[in-house]
Amino acid sequence: QVHLVESGGGSVQAGGSLRLSCVVSGAASNAYSMAWFRQVPGKEREAVASVDETGITPYADSVKGRFIISRDSAENTLYLQMNSLKPEDSAMYYCAASSQRRILPWLLLTSTPYNYWGQGTQVTVSS
């Protein structure tokens, strides 16, 4: 059973940075496609960034050039480096993993392929 635990959230002023971590247990993280999602109360969960087993890293348009997804195989951890944060980035951030192989690229930024989810870590950006 794959278990995901996020950390690194917090409160920061606009323009600041945070790095989220997602520790993976029960599987080798680099064998899975993984992603970061975020959700604001009352709104649908949206994909932020993803990385598949080949290293493809699609990003949502809203975070391109500001966020970087990466993973450390030795630490079995997924990261999300968030720079130039904006108030609209405030949300609960979730880590997700998929046991599917060769996910079609246009599905990587949808929730469809992901069958493992963490509990989330809150990010609040003040203006």
Side-chain angles (χ1 to χ4, degrees), residues 61-78:
D61 288 343
S62 58
V63 306
K64 280 181 182 176
R66 300 188 298 122
F67 290 11
I68 301 171
I69 189 170
S70 63
R71 55 181 161 194
D72 184 328
S73 299
E75 297 292 329
N76 225 24
T77 301
L78 179 74

Side-chain angles (χ1 to χ4, degrees), residues 15 20-21 30 38 43 46 57 61 67-68 80 84 91 95 107 109 123 126-127:
L20 306 184
S21 300
N30 62 355
R38 65 188 182 187
K43 293 189 177 181
E46 65 171 351
T57 54
D61 288 343
F67 290 11
I68 301 171
L80 184 69
S84 302
C95 172
L107 290 178
L109 289 181
V123 172
S126 58
S127 57

Side-chain angles (χ1 to χ4, degrees), residues 3-49:
H3 191 52
L4 309 176
V5 178
E6 303 98 332
S7 63
S11 297
V12 65
Q13 288 192 326
S17 299
L18 284 173
R19 189 177 79 158
L20 306 184
S21 300
C22 173
V23 177
V24 182
S25 60
S29 63
N30 62 355
Y32 283 64
S33 291
M34 299 193 67
W36 288 98
F37 286 76
R38 65 188 182 187
Q39 188 170 23
V40 175
K43 293 189 177 181
E44 290 191 3
R45 189 173 297 185
E46 65 171 351
V48 173

Side-chain angles (χ1 to χ4, degrees), residues 40-117:
V40 175
K43 293 189 177 181
E44 290 191 3
R45 189 173 297 185
E46 65 171 351
V48 173
S50 174
V51 55
D52 76 355
E53 66 267 34
T54 70
I56 294 174
T57 54
Y59 292 87
D61 288 343
S62 58
V63 306
K64 280 181 182 176
R66 300 188 298 122
F67 290 11
I68 301 171
I69 189 170
S70 63
R71 55 181 161 194
D72 184 328
S73 299
E75 297 292 329
N76 225 24
T77 301
L78 179 74
Y79 297 102
L80 184 69
Q81 177 66 43
M82 304 187 296
N83 301 318
S84 302
L85 282 162
K86 304 175 181 180
E88 52 264 42
D89 294 319
S90 298
M92 185 71 78
Y93 282 72
Y94 298 91
C95 172
S98 172
S99 56
Q100 296 181 37
R101 296 293 183 266
R102 296 183 293 277
I103 297 171
L104 296 171
W106 55 88
L107 290 178
L108 286 170
L109 289 181
T110 72
S111 59
T112 299
Y114 301 99
N115 47 340
Y116 300 104
W117 294 84

